[in-house]
Amino acid sequence: MDKPPKTFAELSPIYRQPLFSLLEMSRQVHRENWGQKEGVQLCRLLSIKTGGCSEDCGYCAQSARYHTGVKAERLMDREAVLAEARLAKEAGAGRFCMGAAWRGVREGEAKFESVLNIVRDVKQLGMEVCVTLGQLTDEAARQLKEAGVTAYNHNLDTSPEHYPKIVTTHSFEDRLRTIRSVQKAGMSVCCGGILGMGESEDDRLKMLEVLCGLDPSPESVPINCLMPQEGTPLAGQKMVDVFELVRLIATTRIALPRARIRLSAGRTALSREAQALCFFAGANSIFFGDKLLTAPNPGESDDRALLKTLGLATAS
Ligand code: SAM
Ligand code: DTB
Ligand code: SF4
């Protein structure tokens, strides 16, 4: 393909073509950009600060506004995080991602200084380091980069039009502002979304259109399926249709050929066959370990068995 599709008008016919021709297209792009052997990156996720968040994101068990059964905890100690990072490294993780249930951070705050120290420690272990701490200032982004952060995760989560139906305490534009700070600081952007929050398939393509407009392009794109959380406004949502998920992954692969597409939350609801189809369509990264931030994830040994069955290597 000479030039990847970028706009909604270009993405839509690609997404809507017969599934098998879409998959043939995405396979070709995948092979050209990742070769035959490049495998699936294993990322370990750790919630370093759980619950008690001021924001009202309608999908999130960590918002203080909903009764979800998730208790607010303090920021983990440096040593405890480092111990988890060592275990991740021993288990073969190529990337260590730390998440905090905050609206955001700014330079000079005590909690931010603690995170910088944690990042410096983890960086020594030689894995890619990713953090997701909410909104950033330019200066906070600069300090994270200096401390050794490889990539900053900040998802758009859905289309600009659907976003205000899901979150009211911050805006889609706020999300973009933080992404710009990350880019200015020279960190890679990890940015994706959630499927299954009552949005249309067009909304998903509009989100992808915004992702395609980012310059530089996102280095990784997490695609989460909503894991409905008891007590949240989205608790009653149905699981997204597997073929819609596969179509979006394939279209993302075609539109962002060099991005790592991370099949993120929701794998516990996907069969082995469905996950295989997601990898076939272009997903080449997962979170491994039996817990995400607060929600469950498939067991490590099941994941290893699946990758072995499929003959997929692991990449760092
Ligand atoms: N507070 C920071 C923020 O909002 O950017 C970082 C943590 S937040 C939990 C990170 C991402 O996890 C969200 O942007 C969303 O994509 C994903 N997420 C949270 N709850 C989820 C759920 N129930 N199902 C699927 N994905 C979820
Ligand atoms: C992302 O896109 N997915 C991860 C990571 N970035 C931080 C988080 C998934 C959270 C799933 C719900 C939970 O564990 O509470
Ligand atoms: Fe807070 Fe992030 Fe959850 Fe929103 S998604 S409530 S900002 S932890």
Side-chain angles (χ1 to χ4, degrees):
M1 187 167 302
D2 5 301
K3 238 173 102 231
K6 268 178 163 301
T7 64
F8 178 80
E10 291 166 342
L11 294 165
S12 179
I14 291 178
Y15 176 88
R16 291 177 208 283
Q17 69 189 301
L19 183 66
F20 290 176
S21 43
L22 171 59
L23 289 173
E24 277 163 19
M25 230 180 175
S26 73
R27 276 313 290 170
Q28 191 188 335
V29 173
H30 195 86
R31 257 200 316 276
E32 282 168 12
N33 286 276
W34 295 91
Q36 292 279 21
K37 290 204 205 83
E38 175 79 32
V40 175
Q41 183 190 41
L42 300 180
C43 307
R44 178 56 56 83
L45 186 55
L46 178 68
S47 180
I48 59 171
K49 155 66 181 91
T50 305
C53 184
S54 63
E55 303 306 282
D56 70 353
C57 311
Y59 49 81
C60 188
Q62 303 198 70
S63 166
R65 296 170 190 245
Y66 314 126
H67 296 286
T68 65
V70 171
K71 278 202 325 269
E73 291 171 16
R74 294 173 27 161
L75 178 63
M76 280 175 72
D77 288 340
R78 197 166 164 172
E79 296 71 31
V81 177
L82 196 57
E84 292 291 337
R86 284 204 187 94
L87 288 174
K89 169 90 182 172
E90 281 161 25
R95 180 183 281 219
F96 192 67
C97 307
M98 294 174 274
W102 286 323
R103 173 182 165 89
V105 289
R106 50 178 55 251
E107 61 279 12
E109 287 175 336
K111 69 180 188 188
F112 183 60
E113 293 296 326
S114 305
V115 171
L116 290 175
N117 285 328
I118 289 173
V119 168
R120 289 184 195 107
D121 285 352
V122 173
K123 186 68 182 177
Q124 303 287 322
L125 301 178
M127 290 174 285
E128 293 178 6
V129 179
C130 176
V131 288
T132 179
L133 314 168
Q135 295 177 37
L136 292 181
T137 59
D138 284 354
E139 178 57 19
R142 201 194 60 71
Q143 293 184 13
L144 284 170
K145 165 77 183 171
E146 199 177 82
V149 168
T150 316
Y152 194 82
N153 169 240
H154 201 64
N155 292 338
L156 293 176
D157 282 321
T158 190
S159 68
E161 294 80 5
H162 196 61
Y163 199 81
K165 298 185 194 145
I166 305 296
V167 183
T168 70
T169 47
H170 56 260
S171 66
F172 194 83
E173 187 46 48
D174 290 331
R175 304 296 283 179
L176 288 173
R177 202 169 305 122
T178 289
I179 290 166
R180 282 195 285 272
S181 300
V182 172
Q183 291 173 321
K184 250 197 257 174
M187 282 183 287
S188 296
V189 170
C190 170
C191 183
I194 309 180
L195 312 191
M197 302 196 295
E199 75 287 349
S200 63
E201 288 174 271
D202 278 2
D203 279 312
R204 296 170 193 158
L205 294 175
K206 285 180 190 160
M207 175 182 83
L208 183 55
E209 179 181 45
V210 181
L211 291 176
C212 290
L214 297 179
D215 184 17
S217 274
E219 171 260 353
S220 50
V221 178
I223 298 191
N224 298 277
C225 297
L226 177 73
M227 302 182 79
Q229 303 288 317
E230 221 182 290
T232 63
L234 295 174
Q237 289 290 320
K238 275 206 334 265
M239 174 67 185
V240 63
D241 180 89
V242 170
F243 295 114
E244 292 181 13
L245 168 65
V246 169
R247 278 182 183 277
L248 193 77
I249 291 172
T251 309
T252 306
R253 170 53 64 230
I254 294 163
L256 296 167
R258 289 293 310 160
R260 277 231 175 253
I261 301 179
R262 187 163 304 116
L263 181 58
S264 300
R267 287 197 300 113
T268 43
L270 294 175
S271 67
R272 295 187 327 145
E273 294 82 353
Q275 292 183 65
L277 205 46
C278 293
F279 295 132
F280 187 75
N284 57 353
S285 175
I286 55 171
F287 288 116
F288 81 123
D290 55 15
K291 199 172 171 197
L292 292 164
L293 295 172
T294 68
N297 199 39
E300 211 174 301
S301 53
D302 287 355
D303 278 345
R304 287 200 193 278
L306 176 59
L307 294 178
K308 187 158 181 245
T309 299
L310 300 178
L312 283 172
T314 56
S316 53

